[in-house]
Amino acid sequence: MYSALLLAVASIGVAVVFGNEAAGYPPEARRLPVLLAWIVAGLALLMMVEEVLKWRRRRKLANTDAPNDGSGGEATAVPAPVVWSALIPFAITIGAYVAIIPIAGYLITTPVFLLGVLLVSRAVRPLTAVAVAIGMTGCIWAIFIWLLHLPIPLLPMSS
Amino acid sequence: MDTSLIAIGLSNALSLNNIFFITLGVAIGIVVGALPGLSATMALALLLPLTFTLPPDTGLCMLAALYLSAMYGGSIAAIVLRTPGTPAAAATVLDGFPMAARGEAGRALGISLSASLVGGVISGLALLTIAPFLGRIVLLFGPVELFAIATLGITMIGTLSKGSPIKGLLSGSLGLLLATVGMDPTTGTPRFTFDDINLYSGIPFTVALIGLFSVPQALALAEQARAHRARPSQISDRVLPRIREFLVLLPNMLRSSVIGIVTGLIPGTGGDTASWFAYNEAKRFSRDPSNFGKGDPAGIAAPESANNAVVGGALVPTIALGIPGSSATAVLMGGLMVHGILPGPTLLTEYGEVTYTLIWAVLLANVPLFLLGLAFTRVSIVVTKVPPMVVAVSIIVLSVVGSYAINNNMFDVWLMLGFGLTGYVLERAGIPTAPMVIGLVLGMLLDNTLNQSLLIGFGSWSVFLDSPIAIVFLIIAVLSVLQATPLMRWMMGGLRKALQSGSASKAGDA
């Protein structure tokens, strides 16, 4: 519920920002964005109301000790909890990986990223992690760079 | 003209180069579909950059083949692992896994493969006949009608998507709003660029696509990394179905294929809706419905025919109207757009060769699908054993290279990650991401046609009431929004009560 409410507030924020920004544009340029900003804000408010009503229904069912056999439908369905201990480190690692690519190059950063994550998470044995890191980087090089000539910064470059 | 384009399309699709890439697309699709946690749309989004340097028809052939074969691939994990490889294979679990559990995994996979073949062929034929017919009608449409169709498309996708219709519509509206970032096509005004030159050409659709579909999946797989994984069933029996069994199941497959095509035609509904619908109908028509859920072959054939038939059905509005029928077809539209081919009425005329090549590819891909499926099904269960974290990091690495490849700009990679984080939060909040993607695709069409329509009407909004076709589409759009609201449910409830009390008083009088 909280993520939905947070998103609703964020959506209203986006609508306000876009609406204000569009106010200074010529009429033809601001027409659709302003209309959409109003629609987004309205739907976000409706979503907040819907979430509150669902929460109240869930609380009512919980208070009456009704069996949670899914008969309450979406009102009783509780999403799986976020595994923060896995999510946050992984997300930070991804951010660091992308930040370092322009500095250290794709061919160095990618196998380090793959190897690092697989070793720390202990998802596979160390030798398998090395094989996956080298294999995956090699495949991407072969397909995207050698075959398709996509210009990706491969090695450490000066900015 | 149409006949020659059909012949040219067939000849292009049968070229060695295209056959190779169709087969490659089929192979990748089977593998991706078999991997639990991945979807056909995600695979399409990740491989879209791969098609940049290929000729447009070749790239599209590969993507279409991947889409088709991923639908079959999803049944592999559903049958051997009790976990659908794709959402469209969820119904296949009900009878596929029990059949595998009693030692008939090969038979289950063979039924799935042959059902997929029938569904795919029927849907290819439907696409070949319906799309050109619809395309000819659409040529009569002007900006007013096209605006109405785009509005109908986004409202249907928003209200029919999983979860709350309000959330679906919000997602779609946000997508439309984000599509207005960049230079306004009418006045040339830079909109919502916040003085960042990278945003002057708008948000690259492919970047948003990769972010919204791939990154949330990678994050979710990272969360599941430590979860217990089921051991897949072994395949020790015959895979190729016997002719007799195939003929017994054929009427079910044909009916399910029609269900799949019709479901695919409706924007916002896809393989999962079609497969459940077909499963329920198969159970209804069955002589012994109590056998469903215990390994009944019809319970495998129905959803698999339907989810493969969806492919052709979903491509009809995409090709004929420029309105994606599903998120996967939105990616295929992206594949057209990166080659400078704008979806819409001109697809079947000005770009007829590319379009008919795509249509033939959807039909012809069923041949390598059947052959590769037969040859590699036993091997493909190995794919189901890949640890989630390996899949997660692979997705990230492919997403980074794919989003960089669009404009050779690291800004796009960060934008992709931003969309990825947004997509993850949206999914946790139960807000579907498919409408946002479709909003991003349709935003420019909506903007252009709105401005053109108002120019035609000299600034008056009543121009939309001057076209009977536009009125019909807009009424359906309004009804599809209203039917999802409590207001409509309250009105229908009141009407039902009034009718019931009316018939009860008539019975009392009698």
Side-chain angles (χ1 to χ4, degrees):
Chain A
M1 174 188 153
Y2 296 113
S3 50
L5 289 176
L6 193 68
L7 267 170
V9 169
S11 301
I12 292 170
V14 166
V16 166
V17 166
F18 272 60
N20 278 340
E21 186 73 17
Y25 299 155
E28 296 86 2
R30 70 166 177 254
R31 186 182 287 135
L32 187 63
V34 168
L35 177 65
L36 288 170
W38 279 107
I39 291 171
V40 164
L43 286 168
L45 280 168
L46 280 174
M47 189 170 87
M48 287 169 93
V49 170
E50 189 184 54
E51 284 300 304
V52 168
L53 288 174
K54 245 197 281 179
W55 173 76
R56 284 173 67 176
R57 228 175 293 144
R58 227 182 271 140
R59 208 172 65 152
K60 198 176 170 184
L61 277 165
N63 286 343
T64 56
D65 290 329
N68 191 7
D69 56 359
S71 54
E74 216 185 305
T76 54
V78 177
V82 178
V83 183
W84 296 106
S85 58
L87 184 72
I88 291 180
F90 189 51
I92 292 172
T93 312
I94 293 169
Y97 163 56
V98 170
I100 296 172
I101 288 176
I103 304 164
Y106 191 79
L107 281 185
I108 292 171
T109 324
T110 300
V112 168
F113 167 72
L114 289 167
L115 195 61
V117 171
L118 291 176
L119 285 176
V120 168
S121 66
R122 280 180 272 167
V124 293
R125 285 180 291 198
L127 267 176
T128 312
V130 171
V132 167
I134 295 173
M136 189 79 206
T137 312
C139 277
I140 289 175
W141 175 83
I143 296 168
F144 284 89
I145 298 157
W146 179 70
L147 190 68
L148 299 176
H149 307 294
L150 290 173
I152 296 168
L154 297 175
L155 293 167
M157 289 166 62
S158 52
S159 54
Chain B
M1 181 62 169
D2 268 351
T3 324
S4 65
L5 282 174
I6 292 171
I8 291 170
L10 178 60
S11 148
N12 284 345
L14 287 173
S15 69
L16 273 175
N17 194 46
N18 284 344
I19 294 278
F20 170 74
F21 278 98
I22 287 171
T23 309
L24 182 65
V26 165
I28 296 172
I30 292 176
V31 168
V32 167
L35 277 165
L38 300 188
S39 64
T41 309
M42 201 217 68
L44 287 169
L46 282 178
L47 290 173
L48 184 60
L50 205 74
T51 66
F52 291 168
T53 56
L54 297 173
D57 55 339
T58 306
L60 286 167
C61 285
M62 189 176 86
L63 292 177
L66 193 158
Y67 181 20
L68 189 77
S69 58
M71 292 298 192
Y72 162 66
S75 69
I76 295 174
I79 288 165
V80 302
L81 211 57
R82 206 183 187 180
T83 309
T86 59
T92 308
V93 173
L94 297 181
D95 282 277
F97 184 74
M99 192 181 273
R102 61 175 190 241
E104 292 179 300
R107 183 182 169 211
L109 287 164
I111 292 169
S112 168
L113 185 59
S114 38
S116 299
L117 173 68
V118 169
V121 168
I122 304 274
S123 101
L125 291 170
L127 180 60
L128 196 57
T129 45
I130 300 173
F133 170 70
L134 209 56
R136 258 181 258 133
I137 295 174
V138 170
L139 284 174
L140 304 171
F141 289 177
V144 173
E145 290 80 15
L146 289 174
F147 175 82
I149 290 173
T151 306
L152 174 61
I154 199 75
T155 51
M156 285 190 82
I157 286 157
T159 52
L160 293 176
S161 291
K162 272 206 182 75
S164 149
I166 291 173
K167 289 178 176 175
L169 287 169
L170 176 63
S171 177
S173 307
L174 278 168
L176 287 172
L177 190 56
L178 289 172
T180 60
V181 173
M183 301 289 274
D184 170 43
T186 309
T187 62
T189 311
R191 291 187 298 194
F192 315 116
T193 57
F194 305 104
D195 296 327
D196 189 332
I197 198 164
N198 294 298
L199 290 173
Y200 271 58
S201 48
I203 293 173
F205 167 72
T206 317
V207 166
L209 202 65
I210 293 172
L212 285 170
F213 284 119
S214 308
V215 173
Q217 207 47 48
L219 294 175
L221 285 168
E223 285 184 90
Q224 293 163 26
R226 297 271 166 92
H228 169 71
R229 303 241 310 163
R231 288 181 60 208
S233 306
Q234 296 304 308
I235 303 174
S236 52
D237 59 326
R238 174 193 168 106
V239 174
L240 182 66
R242 298 186 193 283
I243 299 280
R244 208 170 171 188
E245 182 165 46
F246 176 78
L247 290 173
V248 164
L249 292 170
L250 190 58
N252 176 10
M253 292 182 193
L254 292 173
R255 181 184 58 241
S256 303
S257 300
V258 171
I259 289 172
I261 291 166
V262 172
T263 312
L265 282 170
I266 304 168
T269 56
D272 46 352
T273 310
S275 58
W276 282 112
F277 191 3
Y279 184 86
N280 286 333
E281 288 304 297
K283 194 173 175 182
R284 215 160 56 85
F285 277 87
S286 169
R287 278 190 208 144
D288 185 12
S290 66
N291 216 23
F292 273 66
K294 296 174 189 167
D296 192 322
I300 300 171
E304 286 302 309
S305 285
N307 67 27
N308 271 62
V310 155
V311 174
L315 277 170
V316 168
T318 308
I319 288 173
L321 305 174
I323 310 289
S326 64
S327 47
T329 47
V331 178
L332 287 171
M333 264 180 76
L336 287 166
M337 287 155 71
V338 295
H339 289 287
I341 301 171
L342 291 175
T346 56
L347 264 187
L348 287 161
T349 51
E350 206 177 315
Y351 301 105
E353 287 184 22
V354 172
T355 308
Y356 279 101
T357 308
L358 167 65
I359 292 174
W360 278 110
V362 170
L363 192 53
L364 296 172
N366 289 286
V367 175
L369 170 62
F370 189 71
L371 295 173
L372 286 179
L374 273 181
F376 294 110
T377 291
R378 283 179 211 275
V379 173
S380 57
I381 62 165
V382 169
V383 164
T384 63
K385 296 179 189 170
V386 176
M389 194 47 113
V390 173
V391 178
V393 291
S394 305
I395 291 171
I396 295 298
V397 157
L398 283 169
S399 300
V400 166
V401 73
S403 50
Y404 182 83
I406 296 157
N407 291 315
N408 307 332
N409 189 349
M410 285 304 293
F411 177 82
D412 287 341
V413 180
W414 287 110
L415 192 61
M416 181 273 297
L417 289 182
F419 271 101
L421 193 62
T422 305
Y424 179 79
V425 177
L426 286 174
E427 281 184 13
R428 294 302 298 187
I431 298 175
T433 47
M436 182 178 275
V437 165
I438 289 163
L440 279 163
V441 171
L442 292 179
M444 196 51 72
L445 173 71
L446 211 69
D447 201 3
N448 285 339
T449 50
L450 176 62
N451 282 328
Q452 287 165 6
S453 303
L454 289 172
L455 268 171
I456 292 168
F458 301 102
S460 167
W461 289 81
S462 64
V463 68
F464 295 106
L465 301 176
D466 293 339
S467 162
I469 297 172
I471 290 173
V472 168
F473 285 137
L474 289 172
I475 287 174
I476 299 173
V478 168
L479 284 174
S480 78
V481 171
L482 281 179
Q483 65 84 28
T485 62
L487 172 70
M488 191 59 121
R489 286 197 286 272
W490 176 75
M491 281 170 60
M492 293 302 289
L495 187 66
R496 216 176 289 125
K497 274 185 197 155
L499 286 169
Q500 279 168 359
S501 60
S503 54
S505 64
K506 273 189 191 161
D509 289 344

